Amino acid sequence: MTDINPHWSTNTYWTDALDEYHSLRATGKDSLNIDLNALENMIFDGDSPAYKLVEAMMSVAEHEGYEGHRGAPRLVLALLLLIQNKCPAQN
């Protein structure tokens, strides 16, 4: 496979979100809150994290097959944090 996708870890969109996720966990936070109505309004937009995730996961497949695709769970954690930031639940 040719290297057409830069590795996801070179994109601050993902690494900043993953860092923020780890920072939240370090403070003892144990849950995320997502407004499902806001999520449904946002998720189908072409610039939503869902579509950006496709490219990032392609880079996992391309660059990390020999490592067991270890970036996939990291990207999911980052995705959840990004979704919460875009669609915070109103308590």
Side-chain angles (χ1 to χ4, degrees), residues 25-90:
R25 292 295 289 153
T27 66
K29 186 162 174 77
D30 62 1
S31 64
L32 296 172
N33 296 303
I34 298 170
D35 179 321
L36 296 180
N37 290 323
L39 172 64
E40 290 173 10
N41 289 328
M42 177 274 299
I43 202 70
F44 295 103
D45 182 283
D47 196 38
S48 80
Y51 293 98
K52 293 177 182 187
L53 181 64
V54 171
E55 290 181 14
M57 285 295 192
M58 287 172 45
S59 89
V60 168
E62 183 176 330
H63 298 285
E64 298 181 10
Y66 60 91
E67 293 180 340
H69 301 102
R70 294 183 339 177
R74 292 174 176 91
L75 284 166
V76 171
L77 294 175
L79 175 68
L80 291 170
L81 192 283
L82 288 162
I83 289 172
Q84 177 188 256
N85 287 350
K86 289 183 175 279
C87 308
Q90 305 298 317

